[in-house]
Every structure is written in structure tokens, then in C-alpha cells.
Amino acid sequence: MCDFSTLSEDEKKLHRQKLLQCAENFGGKNFFLHLLEAIRETKPHPLTAKNREFTMDFGTISWNKSIFADKLQLLLRARTNEGKQDNLLPEKDAKNYKKVLNLVRALKPIVFHVKPARKEDGIGFFLQAFDVIDTDTTKLNPVFDALFFCSVEAVKSILNDTPRHAAHQSISSTDP
């Protein structure tokens, strides 16, 4: 998801709409981007917080189960492979298949609640780490990926992307 340029126009539109809705529910693009910057600057990674919460000036992310550093490292490796094979799960005969499958089983039930600091800024949103397509295909949820792993610049470009057909319509509508 972080390499937005490789997605089809329909996928770009869908991901952009999801991210825009999440940003709006968090108080707007700027607040959302500040949240991402705060997450990127935090060491160790916020997902490994023992209290299952990440707090910053503009809001809070909380979740219902601890995530250990070894699981996060495995998730990062699986995420890299997902970009190559369009599936978080490796082939069934791969050496790490069972580990990644167990990772998905462990993290799938976790629900993340992202809420702004002030109620008037938005209602917040909920998300999970994975989208299970079928028994053999699991993908990282694009919003989860954007929230915790993609560069802030990549997310910013997705939020500000103008779909090609919309750009063409606005240009052609100005012609006499």
C-alpha cells in the first residue's frame, strides 16, 4: 500500500477514500499527519507498548492485546514479502509459513481504537491489522499499514492524490 504508484486507479481511489474518512474522523488531514509523525518518532515502536496505548497531543490509539517485539519483527518481515506476492501469508511449503499463520491468528482479533483528544475534533475510528480475503490469502489492512508503517510523505501523497478521471473532468469542464 505504501507504494501507491503500483496500485490500479480503483485501488488508489478506495485507499484514498478510506484514509480520508479516517483523517476526517480524527480531526482532519493535519491532525492525522501529526499522529503519523508522532508514531514514527516514538522508539521503541508504539505497537509494543506494554499498556497497549499510544498517546500524543492530538489523540490516542489503544488496543486490546499486547504485541511483543518478536511479533512486530515477524510482521515487518511478512509485510515486505506481501509487497512481492500480494499476500501476507507465504506459500504453505515455505519454512516460515506456520510462524506467519500463527502471527495472523494472534493479531487478527486485536481491535485498534484511534480517537482524537477533543470530541469536537472527530469521532475517531476502529480498525484491525489484517484483511482476511480467504483461507489462503491475508493482506495487511491498508489503514493499519499507513498508520504504523508507511512514510508520512507516502500517506500525505495518498491523501492529496487527485484521481486521473477527476482531474480530466475538471480540465475539460473549463473548456468552452
Side-chain angles (χ1 to χ4, degrees):
M1 205 295 290
C2 295
D3 190 3
F4 198 55
S5 63
T6 63
L7 301 175
S8 71
E9 288 300 318
D10 288 340
E11 289 173 316
K12 287 180 186 180
K13 183 178 177 183
L14 180 65
H15 292 325
R16 182 173 185 275
Q17 287 173 339
K18 284 181 185 178
L19 282 175
L20 282 171
Q21 185 63 54
C22 291
E24 188 63 34
N25 288 346
F26 190 71
K29 287 183 195 179
N30 286 337
F31 282 7
F32 189 72
L33 292 171
H34 281 295
L35 173 66
L36 299 184
E37 288 170 353
I39 290 170
R40 302 304 177 276
E41 291 170 0
T42 302
K43 303 291 184 232
H45 198 284
L47 285 175
T48 61
K50 292 188 185 332
N51 65 349
R52 302 175 322 271
E53 184 173 274
F54 174 74
T55 303
M56 50 95 65
D57 292 344
F58 295 107
T60 303
I61 303 173
S62 57
W63 53 99
N64 56 336
K65 184 179 176 185
S66 295
I67 300 172
F68 298 104
D70 62 328
K71 295 289 186 195
L72 179 61
Q73 292 306 314
L74 181 58
L75 176 61
L76 291 170
R77 286 192 303 274
R79 179 181 172 266
T80 302
N81 290 334
E82 179 188 13
K84 298 173 189 169
Q85 61 196 26
D86 203 30
N87 187 359
L88 195 71
L89 297 173
E91 296 294 324
K92 286 188 177 185
D93 58 352
K95 187 171 80 170
N96 65 339
Y97 175 78
K98 189 110 172 143
K99 282 184 178 182
V100 176
L101 182 62
N102 287 336
L103 169 76
V104 170
R105 287 179 179 159
L107 299 185
K108 175 66 178 131
I110 298 175
V111 177
F112 296 86
H113 184 195
V114 182
K115 57 187 172 199
R118 300 179 328 161
K119 288 186 181 193
E120 59 269 17
D121 288 334
I123 59 174
F125 59 94
F126 293 90
L127 71 138
Q128 290 183 287
F130 306 112
D131 293 334
V132 176
I133 312 302
D134 58 42
T135 57
D136 298 323
T137 311
T138 299
K139 295 186 177 194
L140 203 56
N141 178 322
V143 175
F144 179 82
D145 197 18
L147 194 61
F148 290 107
F149 303 117
C150 295
S151 73
V152 175
E153 285 303 312
V155 176
K156 188 176 182 178
S157 71
I158 294 167
L159 289 170
N160 294 327
D161 184 61
T162 304
R164 289 183 192 188
H165 64 279
H168 285 315
Q169 287 174 347
S170 64
I171 292 170
S172 62
S173 64
T174 60
D175 292 339

